[in-house]
């Protein structure tokens, strides 16, 4: 890993005493911030570490998909958390809801969620997350890897041009990644450290779920499941009704 000065240098991301953002490492380039945070977790790093990179050479999403982001345009970061085992399944919801609430502050376009980990605007993806978990000497840990399209132009990338968008595309102007990151870390922390907010996480996330009542296909391993989305259960698992 190569630490560097960047647009984010000196960022006061969250309030004093916050867990998330307790320590922030900025990288010019890395293979994967999730891998970097996982190594820190295995070395018994306390929770709250944030690693952000301008470039990821091996960034990934769910189902081994790659994450496309030009250097210096977007936000690519991972957070180390050590939640209760019962809260581990909710970590993708935490990331998605925090991103959605953050984007609300930067655009008037409605921000919605698509199970399990997409944040969307105008029927296109603007953010996604990959949550990985493990166990170290300090107990369970979760690595929340998140990408937010801030200033990229998806039309420059044919592989995502029809399915992705960004804040700059929505607003027609460049947006400060520093400002987005500062608010995003605060939103994540406000959910995570507050038991009342954690207890409402599933319901607050579900209120933005765009597929409720729609017929959808969900891939689970090698199986494709068809049904009507009715919501999520108390751990964030999607509930489908089979009409057959």
């Amino acid at each position: 890993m190569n630490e560097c000065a960047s647009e984010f240098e000196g960022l006061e991301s969250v309030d004093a005493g916050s867990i998330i953002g307790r320590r922030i490492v900025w990288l010019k380039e890395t293979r994967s911030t999730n891998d970097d945070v996982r190594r820190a977790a295995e070395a018994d790093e306390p929770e709250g570490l944030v690693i952000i990179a301008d470039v990821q050479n091996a960034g990934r999403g769910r189902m081994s998909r790659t994450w496309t982001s030009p250097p210096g345009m977007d936000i690519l970061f991972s957070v180390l958390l050590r939640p209760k085992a019962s809260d581990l399944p909710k970590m993708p919801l935490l990331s998605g809801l925090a991103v959605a609430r953050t984007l609300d502050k930067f655009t008037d376009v409605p921000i919605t969620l698509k199970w399990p980990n997409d944040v969307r605007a105008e029927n296109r993806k603007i953010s996604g997350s990959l949550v990985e978990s493990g166990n170290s000497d300090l107990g369970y840990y979760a690595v929340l890897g998140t990408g937010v399209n801030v200033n990229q132009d998806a039309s420059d990338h044919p592989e995502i041009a029809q399915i992705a968008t960004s804040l700059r595309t929505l607003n027609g102007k460049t947006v400060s990644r520093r400002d987005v990151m500062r608010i995003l870390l605060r939103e994540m922390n406000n959910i995570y450290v507050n038991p009342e907010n954690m207890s409402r996480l599933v319901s607050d996330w579900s209120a933005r779920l765009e597929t409720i009542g729609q017929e959808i296909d969900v891939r689970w391993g090698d199986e494709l499941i068809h049904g009507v989305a009715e919501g999520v259960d108390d751990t964030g698992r999607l509930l489908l009704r089979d009409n057959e």
Side-chain angles (χ1 to χ4, degrees), residues 38 151 175 190 202 210 233 235:
R38 177 182 288 277
N151 289 315
V175 178
N190 285 345
V202 173
E210 64 179 31
D233 67 12
T235 63

Side-chain angles (χ1 to χ4, degrees), residues 143-188:
V143 179
L144 279 64
T146 301
V148 183
N149 296 338
V150 179
N151 289 315
Q152 74 163 284
D153 185 349
S155 65
D156 291 337
H157 306 276
E159 70 276 19
I160 63 171
Q162 301 303 313
I163 60 174
T165 189
S166 69
L167 276 175
R168 189 180 75 172
T169 299
L170 296 176
N171 294 344
K173 61 183 180 181
T174 299
V175 178
S176 167
R177 291 187 301 154
R178 179 190 179 98
D179 290 347
V180 175
M181 192 70 195
R182 174 179 54 83
I183 293 174
L184 176 50
L185 293 181
R186 181 175 291 128
E187 290 287 350
M188 293 181 75

Side-chain angles (χ1 to χ4, degrees), residues 69-203:
S69 179
M73 289 288 183
D74 303 318
I75 290 175
L76 310 168
F77 74 105
S78 298
V79 179
L80 170 60
L81 296 178
R82 296 186 180 275
K84 298 181 297 184
S86 60
D87 283 337
L88 274 172
K90 300 178 183 178
M91 293 299 101
L93 309 189
L94 187 156
S95 178
L97 181 61
V99 170
R101 287 175 171 173
T102 298
L103 297 180
D104 285 344
K105 297 176 172 60
F106 290 90
T107 182
D108 292 330
V109 176
I111 304 299
T112 61
L113 297 166
K114 180 181 177 181
W115 188 91
N117 66 345
D118 288 359
V119 183
R120 290 162 54 86
E122 296 183 336
N123 297 315
R124 297 190 178 194
K125 185 172 181 175
I126 194 170
S127 175
S129 62
L130 175 66
V131 178
E132 300 174 311
S133 61
N135 199 7
S136 72
D137 290 342
L138 296 181
Y140 290 108
Y141 66 81
V143 179
L144 279 64
T146 301
V148 183
N149 296 338
V150 179
N151 289 315
Q152 74 163 284
D153 185 349
S155 65
D156 291 337
H157 306 276
E159 70 276 19
I160 63 171
Q162 301 303 313
I163 60 174
T165 189
S166 69
L167 276 175
R168 189 180 75 172
T169 299
L170 296 176
N171 294 344
K173 61 183 180 181
T174 299
V175 178
S176 167
R177 291 187 301 154
R178 179 190 179 98
D179 290 347
V180 175
M181 192 70 195
R182 174 179 54 83
I183 293 174
L184 176 50
L185 293 181
R186 181 175 291 128
E187 290 287 350
M188 293 181 75
N189 191 77
N190 285 345
I191 297 171
Y192 184 68
V193 304
N194 188 314
E196 182 178 348
N197 290 341
M198 281 297 293
S199 70
R200 295 201 311 264
L201 175 56
V202 173
S203 60

